[in-house]
Amino acid sequence: MPFTFLFAEVDVTSPFPQYAYLGFDYDPLDYYFIPGLRRPWNDGYLTPVFFERGVLLYYNNHPDYSVKLTSFSSGNIYHQGKPMFSWGFGLNRGGLLFMWLGDLAEDFTAEKERDRKRFLASNVASDHDLVSKFYRSQLPQTPEEAFQESDNEVKVFDLKNQFDERIRRDFGLEISKIDIDRLTDYYRPPILEDRDQIFNAYLSLTKYLLETLQTENLKKALIARGVLESALKGLGSLKLLELFVKTVLGLPGEKTIMTPLYVLYDLRILQGHLAIDSFAAKYDSCKDRLQADRNLSDLSFFQVVVQALIQCFTTLLGYPVPQTMGSG
């Protein structure tokens, strides 16, 4: 029966009949109680509909689809490079995916009936939590909320590209073998609290951030600044980058700066040894070095690692302006 909300009659026994054909379960009270959702000119459009996050697995592993998480709490699905949803989706603090009821009506056209049924099978009851970058960007209260920066791997890739470009501009030096934008088209973010998914993501991040380094160019730049060639023998890409940061870029405290990259490399090594007896101790060591709680879940620690990488490349990108330009 109807109830009174702000002196208006709301019939919750037959909410938003224009969307009934979709078949989704939702709580109409969310629309009336959660700030910013009511739209008298388009009643019910911004009603959140919730889904199990696992629905993304199909698309993340299908060759014709990809899942792009623009932050830890927002993203979209792409089909052959084109967005599947006009406005994407949110990921709330409880790990549920949510979208607006009106958007679902517009995006699930007849051609996407299979996708609608797939989402319908993953539809769950509302937990009434919309806290996410998606929610704040869709209903912004400030310009900063409307144009939010990413807080996940997308930000890492962007900063890495900016760093490579600045080195190219300041020193005429190519330090990466390939534009990381091309590689990230194939990057598969971890979707669930699943150790294999998460450690495979560490493997991919290591490939993109470290294994693409032009070690020979780094060596040439170091030798040009007085480092003996004999001192560079046997050094891998990460050690060479660390020496480059200290000798060429002149950044102080380089070990602290580089710690996230060393932790990432060690996690990549652990990726191939998930079942060994020493795994737990080595994994704890990685958490300790980033000052993270050892009891964090794998997915929560993954977010810590990514945040640390963002800080790492932000610091690297801010190196002092060199007094002399060119490759030396």
Side-chain angles (χ1 to χ4, degrees):
M1 61 183 297
F3 73 96
T4 301
F5 176 72
L6 294 181
F7 309 106
E9 291 290 316
V10 179
D11 186 0
V12 296
T13 61
S14 181
F16 319 130
Q18 70 272 31
Y19 300 119
Y21 72 95
L22 290 168
F24 291 118
D25 176 55
Y26 55 86
D27 188 341
L29 298 186
D30 287 343
Y31 175 72
Y32 294 104
F33 280 104
I34 296 176
L37 302 189
R38 296 192 71 183
R39 303 174 72 177
W41 65 93
N42 203 346
D43 201 35
Y45 191 103
L46 291 180
T47 304
V49 184
F50 293 81
F51 306 91
E52 294 175 340
R53 188 182 179 119
V55 70
L56 297 176
L57 288 176
Y58 171 83
Y59 300 100
N60 203 39
N61 293 295
H62 193 290
D64 292 335
Y65 292 87
S66 61
V67 175
K68 303 295 184 185
L69 300 181
T70 51
S71 75
F72 284 125
S73 56
S74 59
N76 208 334
I77 300 171
Y78 289 78
H79 179 239
Q80 297 179 345
K82 296 181 179 180
M84 184 170 157
F85 300 114
S86 301
W87 298 100
F89 55 77
L91 295 165
N92 73 8
R93 293 173 295 183
L96 295 181
L97 180 153
F98 69 92
M99 298 175 64
W100 308 126
L101 183 59
D103 284 351
L104 290 168
E106 293 186 3
D107 288 326
F108 281 135
T109 58
E111 294 78 16
K112 295 179 181 177
E113 179 62 11
R114 288 185 179 180
D115 295 301
R116 184 189 70 84
K117 290 182 177 179
R118 189 168 288 113
F119 271 76
L120 190 61
S122 296
N123 188 199
V124 296
S126 169
D127 70 353
H128 318 292
D129 183 0
L130 298 187
V131 175
S132 61
K133 281 184 174 287
F134 176 79
Y135 171 59
R136 289 192 293 271
S137 66
Q138 293 270 293
L139 300 162
Q141 299 297 312
T142 65
E144 291 73 21
E145 289 186 346
F147 302 99
Q148 298 183 61
E149 290 192 4
S150 173
D151 60 0
N152 71 342
E153 300 97 297
V154 172
K155 183 66 174 178
V156 177
F157 299 147
D158 177 59
L159 290 169
K160 175 63 163 59
N161 266 346
Q162 290 185 52
F163 177 64
D164 292 350
E165 177 57 35
R166 189 177 175 200
I167 296 296
R168 186 182 302 115
R169 184 177 66 248
D170 286 352
F171 300 99
L173 187 67
E174 295 285 350
I175 65 168
S176 288
K177 297 176 184 178
I178 191 170
D179 187 342
I180 201 168
D181 283 339
R182 293 173 57 191
L183 291 173
T184 54
D185 287 341
Y186 302 97
Y187 176 70
R188 304 289 182 180
I191 300 298
L192 298 177
E193 185 65 64
D194 177 79
R195 182 160 286 181
D196 284 336
Q197 284 185 46
I198 294 163
F199 274 79
N200 282 333
Y202 289 136
L203 173 61
S204 296
L205 288 172
T206 304
K207 288 180 178 179
Y208 300 163
L209 301 179
L210 298 178
E211 294 181 9
T212 61
L213 287 172
Q214 290 273 33
T215 55
E216 290 304 313
N217 286 352
L218 289 173
K219 288 179 181 179
K220 290 177 182 178
L222 288 165
I223 291 171
R225 280 158 180 77
V227 179
L228 296 176
E229 186 173 357
S230 59
L232 303 177
K233 288 184 178 179
L235 296 185
S237 57
L238 186 48
K239 284 288 187 182
L240 286 170
L241 179 61
E242 180 180 11
L243 194 56
F244 179 84
V245 167
K246 177 181 179 180
T247 305
V248 179
L249 302 187
L251 285 172
E254 70 282 352
K255 288 190 179 298
T256 301
I257 294 171
M258 302 294 289
T259 294
L261 288 170
Y262 277 103
V263 169
L264 176 64
Y265 180 80
D266 289 346
L267 290 166
R268 179 261 179 276
I269 298 300
L270 282 178
Q271 186 268 345
H273 302 86
L274 298 181
I276 63 173
D277 292 340
S278 60
F279 172 85
K282 292 180 179 179
Y283 194 22
D284 282 345
S285 174
C286 291
K287 292 180 178 179
D288 291 344
R289 287 149 66 198
L290 293 184
Q291 299 181 335
D293 187 338
R294 287 187 176 186
N295 294 318
L296 283 179
S297 69
D298 291 340
L299 194 56
S300 294
F301 181 58
F302 177 81
Q303 295 186 11
V304 170
V305 173
V306 171
Q307 291 291 314
L309 290 170
I310 289 173
Q311 183 58 54
C312 171
F313 280 105
T314 298
T315 303
L316 291 178
L317 186 58
Y319 66 81
V321 176
Q323 293 182 354
T324 58
M325 308 300 275
S327 58

